[in-house]
Coordinates of all heavy atoms in Angstrom, one line a residue:
G1 N -18.2 3.9 14.2 CA -16.8 4.2 14.2 C -16.5 5.1 13.0 O -17.3 5.4 12.2
L2 N -15.3 5.6 13.0 CA -14.8 6.4 11.9 C -14.4 5.6 10.7 O -14.1 4.4 10.9 CB -13.6 7.2 12.4 CG -13.9 8.2 13.5 CD1 -12.6 8.8 14.0 CD2 -14.8 9.3 13.0
P3 N -14.4 6.2 9.6 CA -14.0 5.4 8.4 C -12.6 4.9 8.5 O -11.7 5.6 8.9 CB -14.1 6.4 7.2 CG -14.6 7.7 7.8 CD -14.7 7.6 9.3
Q4 N -12.4 3.6 8.2 CA -11.1 3.0 8.3 C -10.2 3.4 7.1 O -9.0 3.3 7.2 CB -11.2 1.5 8.4 CG -12.0 1.1 9.7 CD -11.3 1.5 10.9 OE1 -10.1 1.3 11.1 NE2 -12.0 2.1 11.8
H5 N -10.8 3.8 6.0 CA -10.0 4.0 4.8 C -9.5 5.5 4.7 O -8.8 5.8 3.8 CB -10.7 3.6 3.6 CG -12.1 4.2 3.5 ND1 -12.4 5.5 3.3 CD2 -13.3 3.6 3.6 CE1 -13.7 5.7 3.3 NE2 -14.3 4.6 3.5
G6 N -10.1 6.4 5.5 CA -9.6 7.8 5.5 C -10.3 8.6 4.4 O -11.3 8.1 3.8
P7 N -9.8 9.7 4.0 CA -10.4 10.6 3.0 C -10.3 10.0 1.6 O -9.5 9.1 1.4 CB -9.6 11.9 3.1 CG -8.3 11.5 3.6 CD -8.6 10.3 4.5
D8 N -11.2 10.4 0.7 CA -11.0 10.0 -0.7 C -9.8 10.6 -1.3 O -9.0 11.3 -0.6 CB -12.3 10.3 -1.5 CG -12.4 11.8 -1.8 OD1 -11.5 12.6 -1.5 OD2 -13.5 12.2 -2.3
D9 N -9.5 10.3 -2.5 CA -8.2 10.7 -3.1 C -8.1 12.2 -3.3 O -7.1 12.7 -3.7 CB -7.9 10.0 -4.4 CG -8.9 10.2 -5.5 OD1 -10.0 10.8 -5.2 OD2 -8.7 9.7 -6.6
Q10 N -9.2 12.9 -3.0 CA -9.2 14.4 -3.1 C -9.2 15.0 -1.8 O -9.4 16.3 -1.7 CB -10.4 14.9 -4.0 CG -10.3 14.4 -5.4 CD -11.5 14.9 -6.2 OE1 -12.1 15.9 -5.9 NE2 -11.8 14.1 -7.2
G11 N -9.1 14.3 -0.7 CA -9.0 14.8 0.6 C -10.4 15.2 1.2 O -10.5 16.1 2.1
K12 N -11.4 14.6 0.7 CA -12.8 14.9 1.2 C -13.4 13.7 1.9 O -13.2 12.6 1.6 CB -13.7 15.2 0.0 CG -13.3 16.5 -0.7 CD -14.3 16.8 -1.8 CE -13.7 16.4 -3.1 NZ -14.6 16.8 -4.3
I13 N -14.2 14.0 3.0 CA -14.9 13.0 3.7 C -16.4 13.5 3.8 O -16.6 14.7 4.2 CB -14.4 12.8 5.1 CG1 -13.1 12.0 5.0 CG2 -15.4 12.0 5.9 CD1 -12.5 11.6 6.3
Q14 N -17.3 12.7 3.4 CA -18.7 12.9 3.5 C -19.2 11.9 4.5 O -18.9 10.7 4.4 CB -19.4 12.8 2.2 CG -20.9 13.2 2.3 CD -21.6 13.3 1.0 OE1 -21.1 13.9 0.1 NE2 -22.7 12.7 0.9
F15 N -20.0 12.3 5.5 CA -20.6 11.4 6.5 C -22.1 11.6 6.6 O -22.7 12.5 6.1 CB -19.9 11.7 7.8 CG -20.4 12.9 8.5 CD1 -21.4 12.9 9.4 CD2 -19.8 14.2 8.2 CE1 -21.9 14.1 10.0 CE2 -20.2 15.3 8.8 CZ -21.3 15.3 9.7
G16 N -22.7 10.6 7.2 CA -24.1 10.7 7.4 C -24.5 9.8 8.6 O -23.7 9.0 9.1
Y17 N -25.7 9.8 9.0 CA -26.2 9.0 10.1 C -27.7 8.8 9.9 O -28.4 9.6 9.3 CB -25.9 9.6 11.5 CG -26.5 10.9 11.7 CD1 -27.7 11.1 12.3 CD2 -25.7 12.1 11.5 CE1 -28.3 12.3 12.5 CE2 -26.3 13.3 11.7 CZ -27.5 13.4 12.2 OH -28.1 14.7 12.4
I18 N -28.2 7.7 10.5 CA -29.6 7.4 10.5 C -29.9 6.8 11.9 O -29.2 5.9 12.4 CB -30.0 6.4 9.4 CG1 -29.7 6.9 8.1 CG2 -31.5 6.0 9.6 CD1 -29.9 5.9 6.9
L19 N -30.9 7.3 12.6 CA -31.3 6.8 13.9 C -32.8 6.4 13.8 O -33.6 7.1 13.1 CB -31.2 7.8 15.0 CG -29.8 8.3 15.3 CD1 -29.9 9.4 16.4 CD2 -29.0 7.1 15.9
G20 N -33.1 5.3 14.4 CA -34.5 4.9 14.5 C -35.3 5.9 15.4 O -34.7 6.5 16.3
P21 N -36.6 6.1 15.1 CA -37.4 7.0 15.9 C -37.3 6.8 17.4 O -37.4 7.8 18.2 CB -38.8 6.8 15.4 CG -38.6 6.2 14.1 CD -37.4 5.4 14.1
Q22 N -37.1 5.6 17.9 CA -37.0 5.4 19.3 C -35.8 6.0 19.9 O -35.7 6.1 21.2 CB -37.1 3.8 19.6 CG -35.9 3.1 19.2 CD -35.9 2.6 17.7 OE1 -36.6 3.1 16.9 NE2 -35.2 1.5 17.4
H23 N -34.8 6.4 19.1 CA -33.6 7.0 19.6 C -33.5 8.5 19.4 O -32.5 9.1 19.8 CB -32.4 6.3 19.0 CG -32.3 4.8 19.2 ND1 -32.1 4.3 20.5 CD2 -32.5 3.8 18.4 CE1 -32.2 3.0 20.4 NE2 -32.4 2.6 19.1
W24 N -34.5 9.1 18.8 CA -34.5 10.5 18.5 C -34.6 11.3 19.8 O -35.2 10.8 20.8 CB -35.7 10.9 17.7 CG -35.6 10.4 16.3 CD1 -34.6 9.7 15.7 CD2 -36.7 10.4 15.3 NE1 -34.9 9.4 14.4 CE2 -36.2 9.8 14.1 CE3 -38.0 11.0 15.3 CZ2 -37.0 9.7 13.0 CZ3 -38.7 10.9 14.1 CH2 -38.2 10.2 13.0
G25 N -33.9 12.4 19.9 CA -34.1 13.3 21.0 C -33.3 12.9 22.3 O -33.5 13.5 23.3
Q26 N -32.4 12.0 22.1 CA -31.6 11.5 23.3 C -30.2 11.9 23.3 O -29.4 11.5 24.1 CB -31.7 9.9 23.4 CG -33.1 9.5 23.6 CD -33.2 8.0 23.7 OE1 -32.4 7.3 24.3 NE2 -34.2 7.4 23.1
G27 N -29.8 12.7 22.2 CA -28.4 13.2 22.2 C -27.4 12.3 21.5 O -26.2 12.7 21.5
F28 N -27.8 11.1 21.0 CA -26.9 10.2 20.4 C -26.2 10.8 19.2 O -25.0 10.7 19.0 CB -27.5 8.9 20.1 CG -28.1 8.1 21.2 CD1 -29.4 7.6 21.2 CD2 -27.4 8.0 22.4 CE1 -29.9 6.9 22.2 CE2 -27.9 7.2 23.5 CZ -29.1 6.7 23.4
A29 N -27.0 11.4 18.3 CA -26.4 12.0 17.1 C -25.5 13.1 17.4 O -24.4 13.3 16.8 CB -27.5 12.4 16.1
T30 N -25.9 14.0 18.3 CA -25.1 15.1 18.7 C -23.7 14.7 19.3 O -22.7 15.1 18.9 CB -25.8 16.0 19.7 OG1 -27.0 16.5 19.1 CG2 -24.9 17.2 20.1
E31 N -23.8 13.7 20.2 CA -22.5 13.2 20.8 C -21.6 12.6 19.7 O -20.4 12.8 19.7 CB -22.8 12.2 21.9 CG -21.6 11.6 22.5 CD -21.9 10.7 23.7 OE1 -23.0 10.6 24.1 OE2 -20.9 10.0 24.1
A32 N -22.2 11.8 18.8 CA -21.4 11.1 17.8 C -20.8 12.1 16.9 O -19.6 12.1 16.5 CB -22.2 10.1 17.0
C33 N -21.6 13.1 16.4 CA -21.0 14.2 15.5 C -20.0 15.0 16.2 O -19.0 15.3 15.5 CB -22.2 15.0 15.0 SG -23.2 14.2 13.7
L34 N -20.2 15.4 17.4 CA -19.1 16.2 18.1 C -17.8 15.4 18.2 O -16.8 16.0 17.9 CB -19.6 16.5 19.5 CG -20.6 17.7 19.7 CD1 -21.2 17.7 21.0 CD2 -19.9 19.0 19.3
R35 N -17.9 14.2 18.5 CA -16.6 13.4 18.6 C -16.0 13.2 17.2 O -14.8 13.3 17.0 CB -16.9 12.1 19.2 CG -17.2 12.2 20.7 CD -17.5 10.9 21.3 NE -17.9 11.0 22.7 CZ -17.4 10.4 23.7 NH1 -16.4 9.6 23.5 NH2 -17.8 10.6 24.9
M36 N -16.8 12.9 16.2 CA -16.3 12.7 14.9 C -15.7 14.0 14.3 O -14.6 13.9 13.7 CB -17.5 12.2 14.0 CG -17.0 11.7 12.7 SD -18.2 10.8 11.7 CE -19.7 11.6 12.0
M37 N -16.3 15.1 14.5 CA -15.7 16.4 14.0 C -14.4 16.7 14.7 O -13.5 17.2 14.1 CB -16.7 17.5 14.2 CG -18.0 17.4 13.3 SD -17.7 17.1 11.6 CE -18.0 15.3 11.5
G38 N -14.3 16.4 16.0 CA -13.1 16.6 16.7 C -11.9 15.8 16.2 O -10.8 16.3 16.2
V39 N -12.2 14.6 15.6 CA -11.1 13.8 15.0 C -10.9 14.2 13.6 O -9.8 14.4 13.1 CB -11.5 12.3 15.1 CG1 -10.5 11.5 14.3 CG2 -11.6 11.9 16.6
L40 N -12.0 14.3 12.8 CA -11.9 14.5 11.4 C -11.3 15.9 11.1 O -10.6 16.1 10.1 CB -13.2 14.4 10.7 CG -13.8 13.0 10.6 CD1 -15.2 13.0 10.0 CD2 -12.9 12.0 10.0
G41 N -11.6 16.9 11.9 CA -11.1 18.2 11.7 C -9.6 18.4 11.8 O -9.0 19.4 11.4
V42 N -8.9 17.4 12.3 CA -7.4 17.5 12.5 C -6.6 16.4 11.8 O -5.4 16.4 11.9 CB -7.0 17.6 14.0 CG1 -7.6 18.8 14.7 CG2 -7.4 16.3 14.7
L43 N -7.3 15.5 11.1 CA -6.6 14.4 10.4 C -5.8 15.0 9.2 O -6.4 15.8 8.5 CB -7.5 13.4 9.9 CG -8.1 12.4 11.0 CD1 -9.1 11.4 10.3 CD2 -7.0 11.6 11.6
P44 N -4.6 14.6 9.1 CA -3.8 15.1 7.9 C -4.4 14.5 6.6 O -5.0 13.4 6.6 CB -2.4 14.5 8.1 CG -2.5 13.6 9.3 CD -3.8 13.7 9.9
G45 N -4.3 15.3 5.6 CA -4.8 14.9 4.2 C -6.3 15.3 4.0 O -6.7 15.0 2.9
I46 N -7.0 15.8 5.0 CA -8.4 16.1 4.8 C -8.5 17.6 4.7 O -8.0 18.4 5.5 CB -9.2 15.6 6.0 CG1 -9.2 14.1 6.0 CG2 -10.7 16.1 5.9 CD1 -9.9 13.5 7.2
Y47 N -9.2 18.1 3.6 CA -9.4 19.5 3.5 C -10.9 19.9 3.5 O -11.2 21.0 3.7 CB -8.7 20.1 2.3 CG -9.5 19.9 1.0 CD1 -10.4 20.8 0.6 CD2 -9.2 18.7 0.2 CE1 -11.1 20.5 -0.6 CE2 -9.9 18.5 -0.9 CZ -10.8 19.4 -1.3 OH -11.5 19.2 -2.5
R48 N -11.7 18.8 3.4 CA -13.2 19.1 3.5 C -13.9 18.0 4.2 O -13.7 16.8 3.8 CB -13.7 19.3 2.1 CG -15.2 19.6 2.1 CD -15.7 19.9 0.6 NE -17.1 20.2 0.7 CZ -17.6 21.4 0.9 NH1 -16.8 22.5 1.2 NH2 -18.9 21.6 0.9
V49 N -14.8 18.3 5.1 CA -15.7 17.4 5.8 C -17.1 17.9 5.6 O -17.3 19.1 5.9 CB -15.4 17.3 7.3 CG1 -16.4 16.4 8.0 CG2 -13.9 16.8 7.5
G50 N -18.0 17.1 5.1 CA -19.3 17.6 4.8 C -20.4 16.6 4.9 O -20.1 15.4 4.9
T51 N -21.6 17.1 4.8 CA -22.8 16.2 4.8 C -24.0 17.1 4.3 O -23.8 18.3 4.0 CB -23.1 15.6 6.2 OG1 -24.1 14.6 6.0 CG2 -23.6 16.7 7.2
F52 N -25.1 16.4 4.2 CA -26.3 17.2 3.8 C -27.5 16.6 4.5 O -27.5 15.5 5.1 CB -26.6 17.1 2.2 CG -26.8 15.7 1.7 CD1 -28.0 15.1 1.7 CD2 -25.7 14.9 1.3 CE1 -28.2 13.8 1.2 CE2 -25.9 13.6 0.8 CZ -27.2 13.1 0.8
V53 N -28.6 17.4 4.6 CA -29.8 17.0 5.3 C -31.0 17.6 4.6 O -30.9 18.6 4.0 CB -29.7 17.6 6.8 CG1 -29.6 19.1 6.8 CG2 -30.8 17.1 7.6
D54 N -32.1 16.8 4.7 CA -33.3 17.3 4.1 C -33.7 18.6 4.8 O -33.6 18.8 6.0 CB -34.4 16.2 4.5 CG -35.8 16.5 4.1 OD1 -36.1 17.7 3.7 OD2 -36.7 15.6 4.2
V55 N -34.1 19.6 4.0 CA -34.4 20.9 4.5 C -35.5 20.9 5.6 O -35.6 21.8 6.4 CB -34.8 21.9 3.4 CG1 -33.6 22.2 2.4 CG2 -36.0 21.5 2.6
D56 N -36.3 19.9 5.6 CA -37.4 19.8 6.6 C -36.9 19.1 7.9 O -37.7 19.0 8.8 CB -38.6 19.0 6.0 CG -39.2 19.7 4.8 OD1 -39.2 21.0 4.9 OD2 -39.7 19.1 3.9
N57 N -35.7 18.6 7.9 CA -35.2 17.9 9.1 C -34.5 18.9 10.0 O -33.3 18.9 10.1 CB -34.2 16.8 8.7 CG -33.9 15.8 9.8 OD1 -34.0 16.2 10.9 ND2 -33.4 14.6 9.4
V58 N -35.3 19.6 10.8 CA -34.8 20.6 11.6 C -33.9 20.1 12.8 O -32.9 20.6 13.2 CB -36.0 21.5 12.2 CG1 -35.5 22.5 13.2 CG2 -36.7 22.1 11.1
A59 N -34.3 18.9 13.3 CA -33.6 18.3 14.4 C -32.1 18.0 13.9 O -31.2 18.2 14.7 CB -34.3 17.0 14.9
S60 N -32.0 17.4 12.7 CA -30.6 17.1 12.3 C -29.8 18.4 12.0 O -28.6 18.4 12.2 CB -30.6 16.2 11.0 OG -30.9 14.9 11.4
E61 N -30.5 19.4 11.5 CA -29.8 20.7 11.3 C -29.2 21.2 12.6 O -28.1 21.6 12.7 CB -30.7 21.7 10.7 CG -30.9 21.6 9.2 CD -31.5 22.8 8.6 OE1 -31.7 23.8 9.2 OE2 -31.8 22.7 7.3
K62 N -30.0 21.1 13.7 CA -29.5 21.5 15.0 C -28.3 20.7 15.5 O -27.4 21.2 16.0 CB -30.7 21.4 16.0 CG -31.7 22.5 15.9 CD -32.8 22.3 16.9 CE -33.9 23.3 16.7 NZ -35.0 23.2 17.6
V63 N -28.4 19.4 15.2 CA -27.3 18.5 15.6 C -26.0 18.9 14.9 O -24.9 19.1 15.5 CB -27.6 17.0 15.2 CG1 -26.3 16.1 15.2 CG2 -28.6 16.4 16.1
L64 N -26.1 19.2 13.6 CA -24.9 19.6 12.8 C -24.3 20.9 13.2 O -23.1 21.1 13.3 CB -25.2 19.6 11.3 CG -25.6 18.2 10.7 CD1 -26.1 18.3 9.3 CD2 -24.5 17.2 10.9
L65 N -25.2 21.9 13.5 CA -24.8 23.2 14.0 C -24.1 23.0 15.3 O -23.0 23.7 15.6 CB -25.9 24.1 14.1 CG -26.5 24.5 12.7 CD1 -27.9 25.3 12.9 CD2 -25.6 25.4 11.9
K66 N -24.6 22.2 16.2 CA -24.0 22.0 17.5 C -22.6 21.4 17.4 O -21.7 21.6 18.2 CB -24.9 21.1 18.4 CG -26.1 21.7 19.0 CD -26.8 20.7 19.8 CE -28.2 21.3 20.3 NZ -29.0 20.2 21.0
A67 N -22.4 20.5 16.4 CA -21.2 19.9 16.1 C -20.2 20.7 15.4 O -19.0 20.3 15.1 CB -21.4 18.6 15.3
G68 N -20.5 22.0 15.1 CA -19.6 22.9 14.6 C -19.6 23.1 13.1 O -18.8 23.8 12.5
L69 N -20.6 22.4 12.4 CA -20.7 22.6 11.0 C -21.5 23.8 10.7 O -22.2 24.3 11.5 CB -21.4 21.3 10.3 CG -20.5 20.1 10.3 CD1 -20.8 19.2 11.5 CD2 -20.6 19.4 9.0
V70 N -21.3 24.3 9.5 CA -22.1 25.5 9.0 C -22.8 25.2 7.8 O -22.4 24.4 6.9 CB -21.1 26.7 8.8 CG1 -20.5 27.1 10.1 CG2 -20.1 26.4 7.8
K71 N -24.0 25.9 7.6 CA -24.7 25.8 6.4 C -24.0 26.4 5.2 O -23.4 27.5 5.3 CB -26.1 26.5 6.5 CG -27.0 25.8 7.4 CD -28.4 26.6 7.4 CE -29.3 25.9 8.4 NZ -30.6 26.6 8.4
E72 N -24.0 25.7 4.1 CA -23.2 26.2 3.0 C -24.2 26.6 1.8 O -24.0 27.7 1.3 CB -22.3 25.1 2.5 CG -21.3 25.6 1.5 CD -20.2 24.6 1.3 OE1 -20.3 23.4 1.5 OE2 -19.1 25.0 0.8
V73 N -25.1 25.8 1.5 CA -26.0 26.0 0.3 C -27.2 25.1 0.4 O -27.1 24.0 1.0 CB -25.2 25.9 -1.0 CG1 -24.9 24.5 -1.3 CG2 -26.0 26.5 -2.2
T74 N -28.3 25.5 -0.2 CA -29.5 24.6 -0.4 C -29.4 24.1 -1.8 O -29.3 24.9 -2.8 CB -30.8 25.4 -0.1 OG1 -30.8 25.9 1.2 CG2 -32.0 24.5 -0.3
L75 N -29.6 22.8 -1.9 CA -29.5 22.1 -3.2 C -30.9 21.6 -3.5 O -31.5 20.8 -2.8 CB -28.5 20.9 -3.1 CG -27.1 21.4 -2.7 CD1 -26.3 20.1 -2.3 CD2 -26.5 22.1 -3.8
E76 N -31.4 22.0 -4.7 CA -32.8 21.7 -5.1 C -32.9 20.2 -5.6 O -32.0 19.8 -6.4 CB -33.2 22.6 -6.2 CG -34.7 22.6 -6.5 CD -35.1 23.7 -7.4 OE1 -34.6 24.9 -7.3 OE2 -35.8 23.4 -8.4
K77 N -33.9 19.5 -5.1 CA -34.1 18.1 -5.5 C -32.8 17.3 -5.5 O -32.4 16.6 -6.4 CB -34.8 18.0 -6.8 CG -36.2 18.6 -6.8 CD -36.9 18.4 -8.1 CE -38.3 19.0 -7.9 NZ -39.0 18.9 -9.2
W78 N -32.1 17.3 -4.4 CA -30.7 16.8 -4.3 C -30.6 15.3 -4.0 O -29.7 14.6 -4.5 CB -29.9 17.6 -3.2 CG -28.5 17.1 -3.0 CD1 -28.0 16.4 -2.0 CD2 -27.5 17.3 -3.9 NE1 -26.7 16.2 -2.1 CE2 -26.3 16.7 -3.3 CE3 -27.3 17.9 -5.1 CZ2 -25.1 16.8 -3.9 CZ3 -26.1 18.0 -5.7 CH2 -25.0 17.4 -5.1
F79 N -31.6 14.8 -3.2 CA -31.4 13.4 -2.8 C -32.8 12.7 -2.6 O -33.8 13.4 -2.2 CB -30.7 13.4 -1.4 CG -30.2 12.0 -1.0 CD1 -29.1 11.4 -1.6 CD2 -30.9 11.3 -0.1 CE1 -28.6 10.2 -1.2 CE2 -30.4 10.0 0.3 CZ -29.3 9.5 -0.3
R80 N -32.9 11.4 -2.9 CA -34.1 10.6 -2.7 C -33.9 9.8 -1.4 O -33.0 9.0 -1.4 CB -34.3 9.7 -3.9 CG -34.6 10.4 -5.2 CD -34.7 9.3 -6.3 NE -34.8 9.9 -7.6 CZ -35.9 9.9 -8.3 NH1 -37.0 9.3 -7.9 NH2 -35.9 10.5 -9.5
F81 N -34.7 10.1 -0.5 CA -34.7 9.4 0.8 C -35.6 8.2 0.7 O -36.9 8.4 0.6 CB -35.0 10.3 2.0 CG -34.0 11.4 2.2 CD1 -34.2 12.6 1.6 CD2 -32.9 11.2 3.0 CE1 -33.2 13.7 1.8 CE2 -32.0 12.2 3.3 CZ -32.2 13.4 2.6
V82 N -35.1 7.0 0.8 CA -36.0 5.8 0.6 C -37.1 5.8 1.7 O -38.1 5.2 1.5 CB -35.2 4.5 0.6 CG1 -34.3 4.5 -0.7 CG2 -34.4 4.3 1.8
N83 N -36.8 6.3 2.9 CA -37.8 6.3 4.0 C -38.8 7.5 3.9 O -39.6 7.6 4.8 CB -37.1 6.3 5.3 CG -36.3 7.6 5.5 OD1 -35.9 8.3 4.6 ND2 -36.0 7.9 6.8
Q84 N -38.7 8.2 2.8 CA -39.6 9.4 2.6 C -40.2 9.3 1.2 O -40.1 10.2 0.4 CB -38.9 10.7 2.8 CG -38.5 10.9 4.2 CD -37.8 12.3 4.3 OE1 -38.0 13.2 3.5 NE2 -37.0 12.4 5.4
E85 N -40.8 8.2 0.8 CA -41.4 7.9 -0.5 C -40.5 8.0 -1.7 O -41.0 8.1 -2.8 CB -42.6 8.9 -0.6 CG -43.6 8.8 0.5 CD -44.7 9.9 0.3 OE1 -44.8 10.6 -0.7 OE2 -45.5 9.9 1.3
N86 N -39.2 8.0 -1.4 CA -38.2 8.0 -2.5 C -38.4 9.2 -3.5 O -38.0 9.0 -4.7 CB -38.2 6.7 -3.2 CG -36.9 6.3 -3.8 OD1 -35.8 6.7 -3.3 ND2 -36.9 5.6 -4.9
K87 N -38.9 10.3 -3.1 CA -39.1 11.4 -3.9 C -37.9 12.4 -3.7 O -37.4 12.5 -2.6 CB -40.4 12.2 -3.6 CG -41.6 11.4 -3.9 CD -42.8 12.2 -3.6 CE -44.1 11.4 -3.9 NZ -45.3 12.1 -3.5
P88 N -37.4 13.0 -4.8 CA -36.3 14.0 -4.6 C -36.6 15.1 -3.7 O -37.7 15.7 -3.8 CB -36.1 14.5 -6.0 CG -36.8 13.6 -7.0 CD -37.9 13.0 -6.2
K89 N -35.7 15.3 -2.7 CA -36.0 16.4 -1.7 C -34.9 17.4 -1.8 O -33.7 17.2 -2.1 CB -35.9 15.7 -0.3 CG -36.9 14.6 0.0 CD -38.3 15.1 0.3 CE -38.2 15.8 1.6 NZ -39.5 16.1 2.2
D90 N -35.3 18.7 -1.5 CA -34.3 19.7 -1.3 C -33.5 19.5 -0.1 O -34.0 19.0 0.9 CB -35.0 21.1 -1.2 CG -35.7 21.5 -2.4 OD1 -35.6 20.9 -3.5 OD2 -36.5 22.5 -2.4
C91 N -32.2 19.7 -0.1 CA -31.3 19.5 1.0 C -30.4 20.7 1.2 O -30.1 21.4 0.3 CB -30.4 18.3 0.7 SG -31.3 16.7 0.5
T92 N -30.0 20.8 2.5 CA -29.0 21.8 2.9 C -27.6 21.1 3.0 O -27.5 20.1 3.7 CB -29.4 22.5 4.2 OG1 -30.7 23.0 4.1 CG2 -28.4 23.6 4.6
L93 N -26.7 21.7 2.4 CA -25.3 21.2 2.4 C -24.6 21.9 3.6 O -24.7 23.1 3.7 CB -24.6 21.5 1.1 CG -23.2 20.9 0.9 CD1 -23.2 19.4 0.9 CD2 -22.6 21.4 -0.4
F94 N -23.9 21.1 4.4 CA -23.2 21.6 5.6 C -21.7 21.2 5.4 O -21.4 20.2 4.8 CB -23.7 20.9 6.9 CG -25.0 21.4 7.4 CD1 -26.1 21.0 6.8 CD2 -25.0 22.4 8.4 CE1 -27.4 21.5 7.3 CE2 -26.2 22.9 8.9 CZ -27.4 22.4 8.4
K95 N -20.8 22.0 6.0 CA -19.4 21.7 6.0 C -18.8 22.1 7.3 O -19.3 22.9 8.1 CB -18.7 22.5 4.9 CG -18.6 24.0 5.1 CD -17.7 24.6 4.0 CE -17.6 26.1 4.3 NZ -16.7 26.7 3.4
L96 N -17.7 21.4 7.6 CA -16.9 21.8 8.8 C -16.0 22.9 8.3 O -15.2 22.7 7.4 CB -16.1 20.6 9.3 CG -15.4 20.7 10.6 CD1 -16.4 21.0 11.8 CD2 -14.6 19.5 10.9
P97 N -16.1 24.1 8.9 CA -15.4 25.3 8.4 C -13.9 25.3 8.5 O -13.2 25.8 7.7 CB -16.0 26.5 9.2 CG -16.5 25.9 10.4 CD -16.9 24.5 10.1
H98 N -13.4 24.6 9.6 CA -11.9 24.7 9.7 C -11.4 23.2 9.9 O -11.6 22.6 10.9 CB -11.5 25.4 11.0 CG -12.1 26.8 11.0 ND1 -11.6 27.8 10.2 CD2 -13.1 27.4 11.7 CE1 -12.3 28.9 10.4 NE2 -13.2 28.7 11.3
V99 N -10.8 22.8 8.8 CA -10.2 21.4 8.9 C -8.7 21.5 8.6 O -8.2 22.5 7.9 CB -10.8 20.5 7.9 CG1 -12.3 20.2 8.2 CG2 -10.7 21.0 6.5
H100 N -8.0 20.6 9.1 CA -6.5 20.5 8.9 C -6.3 20.2 7.4 O -6.9 19.4 6.8 CB -6.0 19.3 9.7 CG -4.5 19.1 9.6 ND1 -3.6 19.9 10.2 CD2 -3.8 18.2 8.9 CE1 -2.4 19.5 9.9 NE2 -2.5 18.5 9.2
D101 N -5.5 21.0 6.7 CA -5.3 20.9 5.3 C -3.9 20.6 4.9 O -3.5 21.0 3.8 CB -5.8 22.2 4.6 CG -5.1 23.5 5.0 OD1 -4.2 23.3 5.8 OD2 -5.4 24.5 4.5
K102 N -3.2 20.0 5.7 CA -1.8 19.6 5.3 C -1.6 18.2 5.0 O -2.4 17.4 5.4 CB -0.8 20.0 6.4 CG -0.8 21.5 6.7 CD 0.1 21.9 7.8 CE 0.4 23.3 7.8 NZ -0.2 24.2 8.6

């Protein structure tokens, strides 16, 4: 579901998802992201919707692009993924380009 508390006090929402390997490639993440972006992009008080992905996670990059997000920047050693040996990984930051900003 969508966050019940809404954006943080600066009007930003960051989201993420994790799917077990048995659910990869079935369109679940794409469907969820498309629906979520449709709602978050028009909620009042939000001016930024974003997320990040490991630069090696091509499948998730495709999901985010299909959902209307755009690549913004690559961040060096940005996040430690516990399911990937907990080593700092380079990540690509994505944002929803057009959000309701009133």
Side-chain angles (χ1 to χ4, degrees):
L2 294 173
Q4 297 299 311
H5 53 66
D8 70 10
D9 61 352
Q10 296 180 26
K12 296 184 253 181
I13 288 185
Q14 182 170 313
F15 72 95
Y17 59 87
I18 299 172
L19 294 176
Q22 69 274 23
H23 302 294
W24 294 352
Q26 297 182 41
F28 297 135
T30 300
E31 182 178 345
C33 284
L34 281 166
R35 290 177 185 236
M36 193 168 33
M37 295 309 101
V39 172
L40 294 178
V42 297
L43 283 178
I46 296 175
Y47 78 90
R48 182 172 180 87
V49 176
T51 192
F52 60 91
V53 62
D54 174 351
V55 295
D56 297 324
N57 191 339
V58 176
S60 281
E61 282 196 3
K62 288 180 182 178
V63 166
L64 298 173
L65 292 169
K66 285 180 189 176
L69 287 97
V70 296
K71 291 182 182 183
E72 192 168 22
V73 67
T74 298
L75 304 165
E76 196 172 314
K77 295 184 179 179
W78 180 252
F79 193 78
R80 294 176 188 250
F81 295 91
V82 294
N83 62 338
Q84 296 180 21
E85 302 175 8
N86 206 31
K87 293 181 181 176
K89 302 281 290 193
D90 293 352
C91 294
T92 303
L93 186 65
F94 284 80
K95 70 175 182 174
L96 190 62
H98 305 289
V99 294
H100 181 76
D101 60 1
K102 295 182 169 94

